[in-house]
Amino acid sequence: MKIQMNSRKISSAKTLPILRRATRQVEVGSIAVGGDAPVSVQTMTKTDTRDVEATLSQIRAAASVGCDIVRIAVIDADACKALKKIVKQADMPVVADIHFDHKLAISALKAGVAGLRINPGNIGSVKKVEEIVNIARERSVPIRIGVNSGSLEKDILESDGGPTAAGLVESALRHVRILEDLDYREIKISVKSSDVLMTVNAYRLLSEKCDYPLHLGVTEAGTFLAGTVRSSVAMGSLLLDGIGDTIRVSLTDTPEKEVRVGLEMLRCLGLREGATHVISCPTCGRIAVDVRSVACEVEERLEKYYAENPKAAQPHVAVMGCMVNGPGEARGADIALAGGDGKFALYLRGNHLKSVKESEAIDALMEEVRKYRD
Ligand code: SF4
């Protein structure tokens, strides 16, 4: 396996260009992962897969906020039947998440999935893996090897005295060798731990050992706040190192929130273009308007507007609480609201446009966004 480091400069950030590590490229349906493809954002549905409508509704919600790829747990033959219907109606590539059962993997491939997450070493025999690989090859479906600290092989755990970064990498490479021996290289890899430092170390080590595209994630990251912080620290560090081709933020929350956090992470690093960019003040004793509600609603309405109008100009928007710092910040944004006594001043490119009642501020801002041209 060949290592190529830091050969691509793709970040749009002016002050801190990120040099992404060169990786092979695989196609997950219509989404390219690795190579010069943008870092994609994934999520996983949390419904019973057999409930087609509930699962599709989560997929649509994730799509509405910009998700690129969705993964679905396939636990039995009924889930596989449902998968066929889901794949047909989903508006993004679907990856089947399967453990141990090669028959399910084959049925999922036949149901038309764009990707498979399965660990070849857990399938039971090389013959069974070969059956999967033959169909995956025929259909150009990549396989993700997904190693987690909670499911490492016994011998690795014994020799390392428990889960370690090196153990995660060793396990992943064992699975990789099985596929390579079958001459299959449409591979992505993840080495997730619930421990942030172990996750970072594992991916760093793995990125030195192979050039397969890497799927980043922290497993069992936690609820919204804890999971967002832990995922941002781990994946942010790796992405800054140029490591990572696709990401999934795991939260004990909705797929939609996972996608929003993932996208925001990429935007912060200049790895994702065309995004909602709202700054808002933390508020203090000077506010006389409800900045928190206004900022949250502006963010939601912009997400929706840009999802429905992907070609629309995307100005920088600011929502500030008062006339002390508000106008200064407003001048740095394309469109801004600065709060006063029960009303907001609306600014366009730093110029005061008009004052609007608090209740009309969001509509007035959205009207300026719709009219905005770069
Ligand atoms: Fe406080 Fe005004 Fe600054 Fe907001 S902009 S934190 S309200 S001083």
Side-chain angles (χ1 to χ4, degrees):
M1 287 177 286
K2 208 165 140 197
I3 307 163
Q4 295 171 297
M5 294 292 287
N6 294 348
S7 65
R8 286 179 299 145
K9 181 178 170 183
I10 64 106
S11 171
S12 61
K14 290 187 184 76
T15 52
L16 187 64
I18 293 176
L19 299 171
R20 281 181 64 202
R21 169 183 162 264
T23 51
R24 289 164 173 271
Q25 190 170 84
V26 298
E27 311 277 334
V28 183
S30 56
I31 303 290
V33 175
D36 60 0
V39 178
S40 49
V41 176
Q42 312 202 9
T43 188
M44 196 165 175
T45 51
K46 290 139 194 254
T47 47
D48 182 335
T49 305
R50 291 166 295 193
D51 187 340
V52 174
E53 267 322 302
T55 305
L56 279 170
S57 151
Q58 281 203 341
I59 294 174
R60 284 187 207 111
S64 76
V65 290
C67 185
D68 298 307
I69 299 169
V70 67
R71 182 158 48 108
I72 297 180
V74 181
I75 56 166
D76 60 18
D78 287 338
C80 238
K81 269 189 217 149
L83 188 64
K84 201 170 178 177
K85 295 182 190 152
I86 294 166
V87 165
K88 272 198 191 126
Q89 293 178 69
D91 35 16
M92 69 180 83
V94 172
V95 175
D97 190 285
I98 290 166
H99 287 279
F100 312 119
D101 190 332
H102 88 294
K103 284 196 178 135
L104 276 184
I106 289 169
S107 303
L109 285 167
K110 289 183 176 167
V113 293
L116 206 56
R117 182 265 166 130
I118 196 162
N119 289 344
N122 302 342
I123 292 296
S125 73
V126 173
K127 178 114 191 46
K128 288 178 180 171
V129 178
E130 195 173 7
E131 282 179 47
I132 298 171
V133 164
N134 286 342
I135 301 176
R137 198 191 316 268
E138 211 176 275
R139 294 171 176 250
S140 304
V141 172
I143 295 176
R144 173 162 69 90
I145 289 162
V147 171
N148 285 355
S149 53
S151 55
L152 281 175
E153 292 91 329
K154 213 167 150 215
D155 66 303
I156 292 179
L157 288 172
E158 277 171 9
S159 80
D160 293 349
T164 62
L168 284 164
V169 172
E170 167 59 22
S171 172
L173 294 178
R174 282 185 190 178
H175 294 296
V176 166
R177 273 178 223 120
I178 298 173
L179 295 182
E180 286 183 338
D181 286 347
L182 293 166
D183 197 23
Y184 201 67
R185 287 179 174 75
E186 299 301 298
I187 299 172
K188 292 178 281 151
I189 314 176
S190 64
V191 279
K192 302 182 185 180
S193 164
S194 52
D195 181 291
V196 167
L197 293 179
M198 195 187 295
T199 301
V200 171
N201 288 334
Y203 278 103
R204 281 183 179 156
L205 189 59
L206 182 60
S207 75
E208 288 171 7
K209 292 188 181 286
C210 70
D211 64 355
Y212 289 114
L214 300 184
H215 163 124
L216 300 187
V218 175
T219 193
E220 290 116 29
T223 52
F224 185 73
L225 178 65
T228 296
V229 173
R230 298 168 80 207
S231 299
S232 303
V233 171
M235 295 191 221
S237 307
L238 290 163
L239 289 164
L240 276 169
D241 282 354
I243 298 169
D245 301 284
T246 183
I247 64 171
R248 189 252 171 138
V249 175
S250 302
L251 297 177
T252 314
D253 213 311
T254 61
E256 215 175 318
K257 287 213 181 131
E258 293 189 351
V259 173
R260 291 181 72 159
V261 172
L263 283 169
E264 197 58 37
M265 202 185 292
L266 296 181
R267 286 168 195 158
C268 293
L269 296 168
L271 288 168
R272 188 87 175 200
E273 285 178 6
T276 314
H277 188 102
V278 180
I279 60 164
S280 55
C281 83
T283 79
C284 69
R286 292 185 187 88
I287 53 165
V289 282
D290 187 355
V291 172
R292 185 165 174 264
S293 303
V294 171
C296 289
E297 195 177 331
V298 164
E299 209 167 60
E300 270 173 33
R301 292 202 18 198
L302 286 175
E303 290 276 2
K304 195 162 178 287
Y305 174 67
Y306 294 142
E308 287 165 359
N309 301 278
K311 292 196 177 144
Q314 302 193 356
H316 280 209
V317 168
V319 180
M320 305 298 292
C322 74
M323 300 308 280
V324 176
N325 288 338
E329 288 292 342
R331 270 191 283 278
D334 297 315
I335 301 174
L337 288 170
D341 193 9
K343 51 188 181 183
F344 277 95
L346 179 64
Y347 293 83
L348 176 65
R349 294 192 163 100
N351 298 313
H352 181 253
L353 268 188
K354 59 181 172 181
S355 286
V356 286
K357 282 193 229 158
E358 187 173 352
S359 58
E360 293 162 7
I362 299 170
D363 286 341
L365 180 136
M366 288 304 299
E367 197 187 321
E368 291 307 318
V369 170
R370 278 189 283 272
K371 287 196 292 194
Y372 193 87
R373 300 284 174 271
D374 282 326

